[in-house]
Amino acid sequence: MKIICIGRNYAAHAKEMKSEVPKEPVFFMKPDTALIIRNQPFFIPDFSEEIHHEVELVLKINKVGRNIEEKFAHKYYDEIGIGIDFTARDLQARCKEKGLPWEMAKAFDGSAPLGEFKRKEDLPKPEMIGFHLDINGKTVQEGNTRDLLFSFDKIIAYVSRFITLKKGDLIFTGTPEGVGPVKINDKLEAYIGEEKLLSFNVK
Ligand code: MG
């Protein structure tokens, strides 16, 4: 099982990061040791002073595919969930400065808390899904897939040109604006629509 993450997939987030809006999807990976499931707590690692939350919708791949055509991409997932792409922003800034890969800032253990999944047919159309993240009861990030730069189908088609997708693989589809730091004792709750699908504490 692998975790593929799309970067800069909402223009307003690319702007807040002072990054260019990409012409093609940007992707990177996290290992399976990044996952936190069943609402287990997230422990702030000792190597970063600035861990940022990035709430993202997550696709669960349901069969093997490579070089998937965009028009068939919808057949490769039937569940959508929500997760956090935790990012050590201070380390990422140093990597970017030197033009180095981001793995240490993005792929560390526990960097991918993952909530429950919903069946696609129980959600609005893939281009009309609203989601948000609350911290300590206050909404800090709010997104809607109508603002995606690259649709779910485009992402699947693009990534599968380079990497074979397999059943159980996860695709984090990018974060909307409003990323920011988390601190010890924060409670994070992520929703698709009004349904809470992920809830955990920072320790
Ligand atoms: Mg992200």
Side-chain angles (χ1 to χ4, degrees):
M1 188 279 256
K2 55 188 174 289
I3 304 167
I4 294 162
C5 305
I6 309 298
R8 301 174 193 166
N9 205 13
Y10 290 85
H13 170 63
K15 195 172 166 198
E16 76 179 345
M17 295 304 298
K18 299 184 172 60
S19 299
E20 273 177 38
V21 172
K23 292 190 180 66
E24 288 190 317
V26 173
F27 72 89
F28 58 90
M29 290 172 71
K30 296 184 190 248
D32 56 4
T33 47
L35 278 184
I36 299 179
I37 55 171
R38 290 192 283 275
N39 294 326
Q40 292 294 305
F42 169 75
F43 289 87
I44 292 189
D46 60 6
F47 48 75
S48 173
E49 304 299 319
E50 194 185 12
I51 298 288
H52 275 198
H53 54 80
E54 296 189 357
V55 69
E56 310 197 1
L57 293 177
V58 181
L59 310 178
K60 191 190 278 182
I61 298 297
N62 62 7
K63 58 182 168 187
V64 173
R66 65 183 288 266
N67 267 322
I68 299 163
E69 279 186 63
E70 193 180 324
K71 66 180 176 197
F72 298 126
H74 66 278
K75 296 174 186 280
Y76 286 80
Y77 70 99
D78 36 39
E79 289 179 85
I80 298 172
I82 195 159
I84 309 291
D85 165 20
F86 271 129
T87 304
R89 199 66 79 197
D90 45 355
L91 300 189
Q92 189 192 31
R94 272 182 256 156
C95 294
K96 281 182 174 176
E97 218 171 86
K98 295 180 183 157
L100 293 172
W102 298 353
E103 267 75 2
M104 63 156 71
K106 284 285 197 181
F108 56 87
D109 286 355
S111 61
L114 181 68
E116 288 170 50
F117 281 82
K118 299 282 293 175
R119 294 195 58 81
K120 209 159 53 173
E121 59 264 31
D122 296 331
L123 291 171
K125 286 187 190 148
E127 62 279 5
M128 295 175 59
I129 302 174
F131 61 104
H132 66 276
L133 172 69
D134 289 2
I135 299 186
N136 306 325
K138 186 167 168 275
T139 300
V140 293
Q141 283 190 274
E142 211 167 359
N144 192 295
T145 52
R146 66 174 170 250
D147 299 320
L148 279 172
L149 295 171
F150 303 102
S151 69
F152 294 163
D153 292 350
K154 272 210 168 67
I155 292 168
I156 288 171
Y158 186 81
V159 170
S160 72
R161 285 170 54 194
F162 303 92
I163 298 175
T164 299
L165 298 177
K166 289 186 172 176
K167 185 174 174 162
D169 287 351
L170 301 171
I171 302 181
F172 279 62
T173 58
T175 195
E177 77 264 38
V179 302
V182 294
K183 55 184 191 316
I184 290 174
N185 293 328
D186 279 348
K187 184 177 185 68
L188 275 66
E189 296 169 299
Y191 296 73
I192 298 181
E194 293 311 313
E195 190 171 353
K196 194 195 310 183
L197 296 171
L198 173 64
S199 170
F200 65 96
N201 294 308
V202 176
K203 294 195 171 179

